[in-house]
Amino acid sequence: MSTPVLYFLPTTSADTSPLPRVISRLTTIYNPSLLPNWTLKQRLFRSTAVWSGDPLASKPRDSRCLQIISLPGHPQDSYAVITPSEQPAMTEGPPATPAATVISIPIGPSTDELNQLLLTRLGSLWQPRQSYSVVDGLGYQVGDFRIRVGEVKQGIGGSQLVRGVAIEIALITPHDDGVESREETELMIMSFWEELGLTGAKAFFLDRDRGDFQDARLWCRMLTLKSWRMDR
């Protein structure tokens, strides 16, 4: 069992990626060993406006977001994650919004069929939005820490925009799954991160007591665009 913490370091200009800086600091300070490359793919849909039924209502109810995501370390499954679209950003502590609904889907035809279903027959209910991916992400290990680093790219196909760099740091030794132990692990990861001296990143932690598929919930929360804004 691993306890990951995600960091997102945004680009400061359209032509500059933080990736070389992250790799330079990591290799200089920790001299890590290499792990296999990794990828992540996400498709984002937003539900169409659902009116409250009150003819005097001035706006529709909050819509929902549906993310279909494949994760590093989970080669057999994709995940469909449904969340309220207006989730406040979160850097620590328990979430203030309802928990996401998560189901696992075997990677392959089932995932492709769900994407096609949403784009065709359910197109009036779910609108496709900007999607994100990490291709050829880098893996490292420093002692009991596993580090994954990769550029988060917006869009599909040849026209992609680098929005920043995702850094996943996990302590991969077996440990007690209690909250106290998890908090101690997160403090160790935060200390590891602080040694890198990389400023301007936003941290994302596991939910407290929010059910299964925690990795999927964590990545989907990070990939919600509004959560990248440092002023929220």
Side-chain angles (χ1 to χ4, degrees), residues 2-132:
S2 64
T3 298
V5 175
L6 277 178
Y7 293 89
F8 181 77
L9 192 60
T11 56
T12 55
S13 71
D15 300 325
T16 304
S17 169
L19 184 61
R21 180 160 55 102
V22 174
I23 295 174
S24 175
R25 296 294 296 171
L26 181 62
T27 55
T28 299
I29 294 174
Y30 288 114
N31 189 28
S33 57
L34 292 176
L35 294 176
N37 288 10
W38 58 278
T39 61
L40 176 145
K41 295 181 180 179
Q42 177 238 36
R43 293 296 301 271
L44 174 63
F45 299 84
R46 179 171 292 174
S47 63
T48 55
V50 180
W51 292 90
S52 65
D54 182 354
L56 301 179
S58 59
K59 63 179 182 179
R61 294 186 209 165
D62 288 342
S63 59
R64 293 173 296 165
C65 287
L66 167 59
Q67 299 182 65
I68 301 174
I69 186 169
S70 61
L71 298 173
H74 299 268
Q76 304 299 323
D77 296 299
S78 297
Y79 300 91
V81 183
I82 301 176
T83 57
S85 61
E86 298 296 328
Q87 293 194 88
M90 188 165 48
T91 57
E92 58 183 339
T97 55
T101 300
V102 186
I103 60 172
S104 63
I105 309 166
I107 284 182
S110 298
T111 302
D112 297 336
E113 289 170 5
L114 178 57
N115 276 309
Q116 287 303 312
L117 183 66
L118 291 165
L119 290 169
T120 55
R121 296 188 179 185
L122 299 181
S124 61
L125 300 176
W126 294 98
Q127 295 179 343
R129 312 293 288 185
Q130 289 287 358
S131 297
Y132 301 91

Side-chain angles (χ1 to χ4, degrees), residues 8-12 16 18 130 132 151-155 160-165 225 228:
F8 181 77
L9 192 60
T11 56
T12 55
T16 304
Q130 289 287 358
Y132 301 91
E151 289 180 327
V152 177
K153 296 183 179 181
Q154 176 181 314
Q160 293 184 317
L161 176 66
V162 176
R163 297 304 306 267
V165 172
L225 183 60
W228 297 351

